[in-house]
Amino acid sequence: MVDIQADQPAVDEAVRQLKGGGVVVIPTETVYGLAGRTSDIGAIDRIFALKGRPLDNPLIAHVLDSAGASSVAAHWPDSAKALAAAFWPGPLTMIVERNQNIPARASAGLDTIAVRAPQHPMARAILKGVGEAISAPSANRSGRVSPTSAEHVKADYEGVREAADLLVVDGGSCGCGIESTVLDLTGPAPRILRAGSVLASQIEAVIGPLVGGSLPMSQVASPGTRSRHYAPMKPVIRVETGDVERHLAGSTDPVVVVGGSDLVVPSPHRHMVLSDSPEVAARVLYNHLRDADGQPGDHIVIVLPPDTPAWQAVRDRLIRASVSESG
Ligand code: AMP
Ligand code: MG
């Protein structure tokens, strides 16, 4: 059975298992990660197998700081140094050229590698204890909603034979609640591959203009940007605000509607209110989606928040989780 442990003994046990070639689940401020040492090919293979992650979807290497990043990168550019100074530790992942000493499998065979310094104190304590980079994709099974609590991880792996005895270090609920911003620094100009809590405008304030501004959806270089991703089990239908009433009128079963506080959702349907604050909405988003999955009704309805830069990341995850009613 999945083994949830908290506090210092959990950190010590995670360090012991990672040093011994194991794979453990660690809390970060974005989402929970399924972690193994970046230098350990056996652990990397186990991460892909346990998650059921496609072998062409590269992992993020987690480090303490710029010095740690320099050890996985062939070259740590000035732009990365400046961004690390501004946003690390924090939810910004940077893609740079991979150091040839790092196994190619750790970035799905690419010559580049994604690097981030997490902020969560337990993730940092584990990194210090292990003394080297740790690769960790989101700990959900592939294609599903990322876990933002130890209980989510347990729910995903309960009954999975290969995950028997999997250690989950319980660090509480994740503060950001969605995956990091992914920024590619290897092209002719930097560009965002995945929206996250660090906004395009904040990055531009440090290193100047990005290619494509804040439009990660137009990018295809990052396998995790495939559409249908981060999705609950039930079909999720995206409905325009003005069409919610009509949509619900056609549904005899109760339906969960995830959307802003201004929506009117008649009973027996249920309104799961998306906060008016993008930060708060992001923090509880995956909890809402998992919750909605567990409610009666054969589908989930979502109404997107406004199309503004501050909502980009939440909109991106909701769009990937859903299909539009209007096709
Ligand atoms: P996850 O760890 O599950 O949050 O996913 C990591 C994300 O970073 C995925 O979207 C990956 O495709 C992306 N990523 C990781 N490494 C690279 C890389 N070297 N080049 C492009 N995208 C990457
Ligand atoms: Mg993921």
Side-chain angles (χ1 to χ4, degrees):
M1 217 174 76
V2 174
D3 176 22
I4 298 184
Q5 292 184 29
D7 305 322
Q8 191 60 40
V11 168
D12 296 341
E13 177 58 17
V15 169
R16 195 187 65 77
Q17 289 193 22
L18 288 164
K19 281 183 160 170
V23 162
V24 302
V25 176
I26 63 168
T28 82
E29 74 279 18
T30 59
V31 300
Y32 276 68
L34 183 61
R37 273 162 42 238
T38 303
S39 64
D40 182 341
I41 293 176
I44 298 295
D45 285 351
R46 179 122 193 274
I47 290 173
F48 278 98
L50 257 181
K51 263 188 74 90
R53 186 171 177 102
L55 294 174
D56 64 353
N57 194 354
L59 308 179
I60 297 175
H62 292 71
V63 297
L64 279 170
D65 47 28
S66 262
S70 306
S71 70
V72 299
H75 158 68
W76 190 234
D78 287 345
S79 55
K81 279 182 204 142
L83 289 165
F87 301 111
W88 279 7
L92 175 67
T93 295
M94 292 185 254
I95 295 171
V96 292
E97 304 298 332
R98 175 172 54 84
N99 186 319
Q100 292 300 312
N101 298 331
I102 298 296
R105 296 247 260 289
S107 59
L110 297 174
D111 289 333
T112 57
I113 190 157
V115 201
R116 176 173 104 82
Q119 198 169 49
H120 194 293
M122 290 173 105
R124 298 189 68 74
I126 290 166
L127 278 167
K128 277 196 189 109
V130 171
E132 57 176 290
I134 292 174
S135 291
S138 54
N140 54 291
R141 303 206 80 200
S142 188
R144 301 263 77 96
V145 175
S146 296
T148 55
S149 72
E151 289 72 29
H152 290 167
V153 180
K154 186 173 162 119
D156 277 10
Y157 288 94
E158 205 66 298
V160 175
R161 197 165 40 89
E162 297 74 18
D165 304 325
L166 176 66
L167 172 65
V168 179
V169 177
D170 188 352
S173 291
C174 301
C176 297
I178 54 170
E179 304 80 358
S180 56
T181 304
V182 177
L183 178 72
D184 185 1
L185 293 175
T186 63
R191 61 176 183 167
I192 289 183
L193 300 182
R194 178 173 73 186
S197 309
V198 176
L199 306 180
S201 55
Q202 294 176 291
I203 294 170
E204 287 184 326
V206 178
I207 57 166
L210 300 173
V211 176
S214 60
L215 293 173
M217 296 295 291
S218 63
Q219 309 300 339
V220 291
S222 191
T225 61
R226 288 186 192 108
S227 42
R228 184 74 193 177
H229 205 87
Y230 311 111
M233 315 284 257
K234 277 187 203 166
V236 183
I237 316 248
R238 204 156 73 229
V239 178
E240 298 294 328
T241 311
D243 294 335
V244 170
E245 212 176 326
R246 183 194 44 73
H247 179 94
L248 293 175
S251 185
T252 41
D253 290 335
V255 170
V256 174
V257 182
V258 181
S261 58
D262 52 334
L263 278 182
V264 179
V265 179
S267 69
H269 306 294
R270 191 172 148 212
H271 185 190
M272 229 173 237
V273 180
L274 205 56
S275 166
D276 296 334
S277 144
E279 291 77 24
V280 178
R283 195 175 305 144
V284 294
L285 182 68
Y286 290 150
N287 206 38
H288 274 351
L289 292 182
R290 282 174 181 259
D291 235 19
D293 234 357
Q295 302 287 326
D298 63 357
H299 69 285
I300 300 166
V301 168
I302 57 159
V303 178
L304 290 179
D307 190 4
T308 60
W311 283 106
Q312 194 74 48
V314 169
R315 281 175 60 91
D316 169 69
R317 303 309 187 275
L318 285 173
I319 289 169
R320 284 176 209 289
S322 61
V323 291
S324 167
E325 182 184 45
S326 49

